[in-house]
Amino acid sequence: MGLFDKLRNEFVDIIEWTDTSSDTIVWKFPRYQNEIKQNAKLTVRESQVAVFMNEGKIADVFTAGMHTLNTQNLPILATLQGWKYGFNSPYKADVFFVSLRQFTNQKWGTKNPVMLRDAEFGPLRVRAFGSYAFKVKDAAEFIKDIAATNPEFTVDGINEQLRNLAVSRGMDAIAEAKIPVLDLAANYDEVSTIITDKIRPEFNELGLELTKFLIENISLPPEVEAALDKRSSMGIVGNLGAYAQFQAANAMEKSAENPGSGGLAGAGLGLGMGAAMMGQMGNVFQQNQFNPVSGQSGAGAAPAAGAVPPPLPSAVSFFVAVNGQQAGPFDQTQLQQLAATGQFNGNSLVWKAGMAAWAAASSVPELASILAAVPPPLP
């Protein structure tokens, strides 16, 4: 074997790519002066294709398998080269391996809130984020339009562009769907399908295929979420008047169970708070009621003379002596509730404005009806 034959055999080799990364899309096979010899072995693994490029033009694309490079399986490249010196001479070509695997868990999200118009709440600013997956659909198209002649092209090289596509087209699809904001969480699958159908053609233009698009969360500004929480709390409470009565009854019960906290005095405090709450709510309801005479509603609606009854006279309040200490004041309704629980009877000392001194409850005419409603002790 002569020196020329020895040098010629040096060009016979195996062209392959063992991908050890998780984010490489395109990898160029390194070869001195890009020279390839006839009968070189090309190994293309599953989830790969090999693209041959000659003088900036895509010549041939090989799919998975082992290929022996000769004029039979390189028809386009053979035509481009012209083979001036015969096919036994080395020829130059760039070999790019393209990964066809899925690149999963690619994140997308809105950098700034996006304004949407909701049918129930009006204009709202929302944020959204999620993930998507893609793979190369047309290797030749992807190299020609995106990767070009880069010796190595990774996901980071195109991820920003794909993320911007997902956000801009995705939020536009959410707005067009006209799904109420409160119902979006129950329709993530439907919205994801809408967004996928909208942006898939633009992925295809780049030689890519969008295989998965997921929405993980669509959120409102913190102040709007806080307002919604308050609205939900009001819906759970329901009847505010009944809620205030319930709170007052709980205060009485806890005071009665804990004598050290003042007993009757604590109960009176709970009753007083409940009555105050009821009075405030009554004022709110009265201020917002509709006046049929004037045709107005709210605090500015002045009722016509005689249209509403005059206010009730203020109830007489009594102080009660408990263990040498005064408690109260209590109105007759509160005293009646205390009498029903056994905390107030005819021997209890009471006092009200205008009385010269403390006196037994049984000697006060205004309290006779209260004490008469309490049954005597069992024999």
Side-chain angles (χ1 to χ4, degrees):
M1 178 182 296
L3 178 61
F4 178 78
D5 292 333
K6 182 177 181 181
L7 292 175
R8 183 179 63 182
N9 289 335
E10 290 295 326
F11 292 111
V12 178
D13 54 6
I14 295 177
I15 302 173
E16 63 179 352
W17 176 35
T18 304
D19 185 10
T20 58
S21 70
S22 61
D23 62 347
T24 302
I25 304 177
V26 179
W27 179 79
K28 181 181 178 181
F29 179 75
R31 192 62 168 155
Y32 177 70
Q33 294 185 347
N34 300 325
E35 290 186 343
I36 300 174
K37 186 60 180 175
Q38 178 176 338
N39 296 324
K41 302 296 183 182
L42 172 66
T43 301
V44 183
R45 290 172 170 79
E46 292 288 347
S47 74
Q48 293 178 355
V49 294
V51 179
F52 280 68
M53 183 177 293
N54 175 254
E55 296 182 357
K57 296 181 179 180
I58 294 176
D60 294 288
V61 179
F62 290 84
T63 57
M66 179 174 284
H67 309 273
T68 301
L69 303 180
N70 51 48
T71 54
Q72 280 71 39
N73 57 21
L74 282 167
I76 301 177
L77 187 58
T79 302
L80 293 175
Q81 288 282 355
W83 308 115
K84 180 178 179 180
Y85 303 103
F87 196 73
N88 288 329
S89 300
Y91 62 94
K92 292 185 178 182
D94 295 316
V95 182
F96 293 89
F97 284 89
V98 181
S99 175
L100 301 182
R101 64 182 290 268
Q102 284 199 64
F103 295 93
T104 59
N105 200 31
Q106 306 301 309
K107 300 299 184 181
W108 68 271
T110 54
K111 295 181 180 179
N112 299 303
V114 178
M115 183 69 73
L116 296 178
R117 185 178 297 277
D118 185 72
E120 183 174 357
F121 300 106
L124 288 175
R125 292 182 294 112
V126 300
R127 290 180 179 271
F129 64 88
S131 61
Y132 66 95
F134 72 93
K135 66 178 181 179
V136 175
K137 181 180 181 181
D138 188 332
E141 187 71 24
F142 182 77
I143 290 179
K144 182 173 65 176
D145 292 344
I146 304 298
T149 57
N150 289 329
E152 185 171 345
F153 191 88
T154 64
V155 172
D156 289 339
I158 195 173
N159 206 15
E160 184 69 19
Q161 181 178 356
L162 299 181
R163 185 183 300 114
N164 290 338
L165 270 177
V167 172
S168 60
R169 302 295 186 267
M171 298 308 295
D172 186 57
I174 292 176
E176 290 180 356
K178 298 186 182 302
I179 299 176
V181 170
L182 296 182
D183 296 334
L184 282 175
N187 292 275
Y188 279 175
D189 289 343
E190 291 78 1
V191 177
S192 296
T193 302
I194 294 173
I195 297 176
T196 300
D197 294 340
K198 189 175 184 66
I199 65 179
R200 179 175 283 143
E202 300 198 41
F203 273 65
N204 293 343
E205 291 176 2
L206 304 176
L208 302 175
E209 179 182 357
L210 179 65
T211 58
K212 187 74 68 175
F213 188 92
L214 299 175
I215 299 175
E216 296 181 23
N217 182 261
I218 298 177
S219 61
L220 299 171
E223 58 273 14
V224 177
E225 292 183 349
L228 287 176
D229 290 341
K230 291 181 180 179
R231 178 175 175 177
S232 300
S233 300
M234 291 177 62
I236 293 174
V237 169
N239 188 322
L240 293 179
Y243 180 72
Q245 294 178 354
F246 174 73
Q247 291 287 79
N250 279 343
M252 288 180 56
E253 182 178 357
K254 290 179 180 179
S255 259
E257 292 174 354
N258 188 7
S261 64
L264 191 59
L269 178 62
L271 286 171
M273 292 179 62
M277 291 176 64
M278 289 293 295
Q280 291 177 359
M281 287 183 292
N283 292 335
V284 172
F285 296 147
Q286 183 176 3
Q287 290 173 1
N288 290 279
Q289 68 183 358
F290 177 75
N291 188 338
V293 177
S294 62
Q296 298 179 352
S297 61
V308 294
L312 292 173
S314 58
V316 179
S317 298
F318 287 86
F319 289 90
V320 180
V322 180
N323 297 328
Q325 297 180 357
Q326 72 176 35
F330 306 111
D331 59 25
Q332 294 191 8
T333 300
Q334 294 170 337
L335 290 175
Q336 187 173 4
Q337 293 175 349
L338 295 176
T341 60
Q343 301 181 66
F344 177 72
N345 54 46
N347 296 324
S348 299
L349 294 178
V350 298
W351 180 89
K352 70 171 183 175
M355 291 179 61
W358 291 80
S362 58
S363 64
V364 179
E366 292 95 331
L367 302 179
S369 60
I370 296 176
L371 299 175
V374 179
L378 294 172

